Amino acid sequence: MLDIKLIRENPDFVREGLTRKNEPDRVSEILELDVQKRKIQTESDTLKAKKNKVSDEIPLLKKQGKDVAHVLEEMKALGEQIKVYDAELKEIELKLDEIVERIPNLPHTSVPTGKSAEDNVEVRRWLPDGTTLESEKKYLDHLELGKKHGILDFERGTKITGSGFPLYRGKGATLERALISFMLDYHINNHGYQEVMTPFIVNRDSMFGTGQLPKMADDMYLAERDGLYLIPTAEVPITNIYRGETIDERELPIKMVGYSPCFRREAGSYGRDSKGFLRVHQFNKVEMVKLVKPETSYDELEALVGNAEAILKALKVPYRVLLLCSGDLSFSAAKCYDIETWSPAENKWLEASSCSNFDNFQARRAKIKYKSADGKKSDFVHTLNGSGLATSRLMVSLLENNQTEDGRIRVPEVLIKYTGFDII
RNA sequence: GGAAAGGUGGCAGAGUGGUUGAAUGCGGCGGUCUCGAAAACCGUUGUGGGCUUCUAGUUCACCGGGGGUUCGAAUCCCCCCCUUUCCGCCA
């Protein structure tokens, strides 16, 4: 959530940011409601001050044996007037909240201006020694490999649930599990994250806190009877661990990593990239989340991207890092890097990670603050998160890049101790 | 699912209609003492909003959430949520 004071005091700055993000400009509307709100609040507060003062005097007057009937009468009328103001105030606040809650975060100054994914900027590329993207080699795609070895069974996954719910079998299931364990261990042991295992279904407050609600409601699975949502990413439960809390600054930065399945309805994207793992409704992901002091957050973002890249280097998977342009940023993000892995069979890059700094946008919504050691200063933390990484697209690259001439699949060196086998 | 108890400041725990934003203890922060530390002692210590002459003053709101009664509510009434314990069911 944007700070109403920022909108009030720097409306043009906010307008510019929203324009960069291709968002409609509702700043004037907000400012108008804000003025109305404060005007009514001032009037209501003045009356309340009077009410409080007189109410304090009543017992004293009674003690003196004075007749207070006319005072009570007066106060009753005052109370009615206050009710009228408060009802009006509430109505305006509701309107204001409804708008402000749907205003996205502003892009950071270091984010390039652009309209869509076309304008994202490739900042670096990494290929394992001896590999090139152009190859004479004939690659089977992940579906063909999955079928050939009986490790992926999309047809039966569809039978169980519907399309986009993958079924892994045999060494495929083991490889998936190995990948998750490897990534978790790597971040815990080499990058200093604390492992967390969270609920995978969350309430509305949590979804609001990280910014999925109210705008992205249609993209999520909802257990309506209970008012609970299946998480689209572990970012939601992990970030919300600290919702409503004030953290001692000496505890920052807090770095957490957790595995979760992710559930996405992908409403409106049917038919696009629908092949196999390229777009699914359920996938596995290891997610890193950091709560940090404001002045460090953009450095922490660079470190976060580095943490995700380290996994791909260890697995020897070709990848590139993109700096997203303003127009391609998600609702809550101020700055974001995507990591894409190479698919030789599709002959394209696949998004496997997204690492974002949310500045204080989520912290405001989730009310996560920190307090200085001397207790004098308190402010919102900055939150960050990054996939480290999502297994589905990574699995595509992993299977395809590691296939041998005869169509078998070599298990990357670092995963062998997790799988117990070195070839499929 | 049934029954009971309970939700108060960072924590523990008073408070059942009128200077109670809230006793007391612990913790935190600052200080005295000390070579230093501990102990002891002194002081201080919630959040959010509005207004103004804005490193300050003033005012409003907040005792799980929402609504109500009243001149006045942490305290009374209604609804909801959550926690704990017991019973039932169960991986």
Side-chain angles (χ1 to χ4, degrees):
Chain A
M1 197 128 67
L2 293 186
D3 184 2
I4 185 72
K5 278 184 188 157
L6 177 74
I7 303 175
R8 194 186 292 155
E9 285 158 22
N10 297 296
D12 290 334
F13 174 79
V14 174
R15 281 192 182 101
E16 191 202 319
L18 293 178
T19 304
R20 286 222 292 148
K21 224 168 175 175
N22 294 331
E23 279 287 324
D25 173 12
R26 305 192 69 178
V27 170
S28 303
E29 211 176 332
I30 291 170
L31 290 178
E32 202 175 300
L33 285 169
D34 181 51
V35 167
Q36 279 184 50
K37 182 193 143 184
R38 284 182 291 149
K39 182 165 168 265
I40 295 170
Q41 191 185 340
T42 302
E43 308 213 24
S44 169
D45 280 0
T46 307
L47 296 187
K48 281 177 185 168
K50 187 179 179 194
K51 183 191 85 172
N52 289 340
K53 189 162 169 268
V54 175
S55 288
D56 283 346
E57 288 166 1
I58 286 175
L60 300 176
L61 291 173
K62 275 186 177 169
K63 243 179 225 167
Q64 293 167 19
K66 291 187 179 160
D67 177 33
V68 293
H70 68 285
V71 182
L72 298 190
E73 200 67 24
E74 219 174 284
M75 284 303 99
K76 194 158 190 164
L78 190 65
E80 294 304 315
Q81 185 57 47
I82 290 171
K83 264 185 196 166
V84 172
Y85 277 130
D86 280 355
E88 202 177 335
L89 187 63
K90 198 168 181 181
E91 198 181 316
I92 291 174
E93 277 175 339
L94 229 56
K95 267 191 209 165
L96 193 57
D97 286 348
E98 202 176 60
I99 299 172
V100 177
E101 281 167 6
R102 288 165 195 268
I103 301 290
N105 200 1
L106 305 175
H108 187 249
T109 48
S110 62
V111 171
T113 300
K115 280 203 163 23
S116 67
E118 312 274 295
D119 302 315
N120 294 340
V121 179
E122 181 174 324
V123 292
R124 62 184 163 271
R125 184 180 284 208
W126 183 88
L127 305 177
D129 286 340
T131 50
T132 51
L133 298 187
E134 288 80 28
S135 171
E136 298 297 300
K137 198 170 148 188
K138 173 89 174 75
Y139 285 95
L140 296 176
D141 69 28
H142 75 283
L143 285 182
E144 293 164 329
L145 288 168
K147 203 160 228 170
K148 179 179 164 87
H149 299 290
I151 56 175
L152 299 175
D153 189 344
F154 284 94
E155 289 80 3
R156 288 199 177 89
T158 302
K159 174 168 73 180
I160 299 166
T161 308
S163 70
F165 290 88
L167 169 65
Y168 303 71
R169 305 189 69 166
K171 287 181 173 171
T174 305
L175 182 62
E176 176 78 358
R177 177 164 52 86
L179 202 48
I180 293 165
S181 292
F182 163 70
M183 293 192 290
L184 281 170
D185 284 348
Y186 202 96
H187 293 308
I188 295 162
N189 297 324
N190 301 323
H191 300 147
Y193 288 79
Q194 181 198 50
E195 182 172 6
V196 293
M197 180 76 81
T198 66
F200 301 147
I201 302 181
V202 303
N203 59 31
R204 289 197 169 87
D205 287 345
S206 292
M207 283 299 188
F208 181 83
T210 34
Q212 280 73 22
L213 286 181
K215 273 194 112 172
M216 270 70 91
D218 287 346
D219 286 320
M220 294 182 297
Y221 291 98
L222 168 64
E224 207 164 0
R225 272 161 60 118
D226 302 293
L228 300 174
Y229 293 84
L230 274 64
I231 57 171
T233 157
E235 156 196 355
V236 179
I238 299 178
T239 306
N240 276 282
I241 288 172
Y242 287 94
R243 190 177 75 236
E245 297 192 23
T246 301
I247 302 160
D248 189 311
E249 77 170 331
R250 287 166 291 201
E251 286 177 48
L252 298 176
I254 292 173
K255 298 164 70 176
M256 297 168 285
V257 64
Y259 154 77
S260 89
C262 302
F263 304 93
R264 301 186 179 181
R265 294 187 65 233
E266 299 291 348
S269 58
Y270 290 109
R272 189 147 50 94
D273 288 336
S274 57
K275 180 176 164 187
F277 269 135
L278 299 185
R279 186 172 298 275
V280 284
H281 293 303
Q282 179 182 327
F283 60 93
N284 294 310
K285 182 157 63 68
V286 166
E287 184 79 359
M288 299 173 280
V289 172
K290 298 206 250 192
L291 308 183
V292 308
K293 286 203 261 181
E295 61 270 26
T296 66
S297 72
Y298 288 90
D299 290 337
E300 292 279 7
L301 175 62
E302 300 302 320
L304 184 66
V305 180
N307 294 157
E309 289 180 64
I311 296 287
L312 293 174
K313 284 178 179 159
L315 291 170
K316 298 191 164 57
V317 173
Y319 71 85
R320 65 175 186 173
V321 179
L322 300 178
L323 171 58
L324 297 203
C325 74
S326 57
D328 204 28
L329 282 174
S330 69
F331 179 73
S332 300
K335 184 173 184 177
C336 177
Y337 291 100
D338 274 2
I339 301 177
E340 298 183 333
T341 59
W342 179 249
S343 161
E346 304 297 329
N347 199 41
K348 65 181 179 189
W349 297 100
L350 305 175
E351 182 188 334
S353 174
S354 202
C355 299
S356 309
N357 183 2
F358 301 94
D359 212 283
N360 64 22
F361 189 83
Q362 290 183 328
R364 279 184 185 284
R365 294 182 150 246
K367 299 185 170 57
I368 306 173
K369 310 186 85 171
Y370 75 98
K371 193 169 229 163
S372 58
D374 59 13
K376 279 180 183 152
K377 200 183 93 186
S378 106
D379 195 5
F380 291 102
V381 300
H382 282 195
T383 61
L384 300 95
N385 69 52
S387 351
L389 301 70
T391 60
S392 49
R393 273 82 173 265
L394 174 56
M395 186 63 87
V396 172
S397 291
L398 207 61
L399 295 178
E400 292 177 2
N401 282 294
N402 287 296
Q403 63 187 282
T404 62
E405 293 296 332
D406 56 350
R408 301 190 73 188
I409 301 151
R410 283 188 318 275
V411 175
E413 196 70 32
V414 293
L415 288 184
I416 294 173
K417 72 170 181 180
Y418 291 92
T419 55
F421 50 82
D422 60 4
I423 195 151
I424 296 174

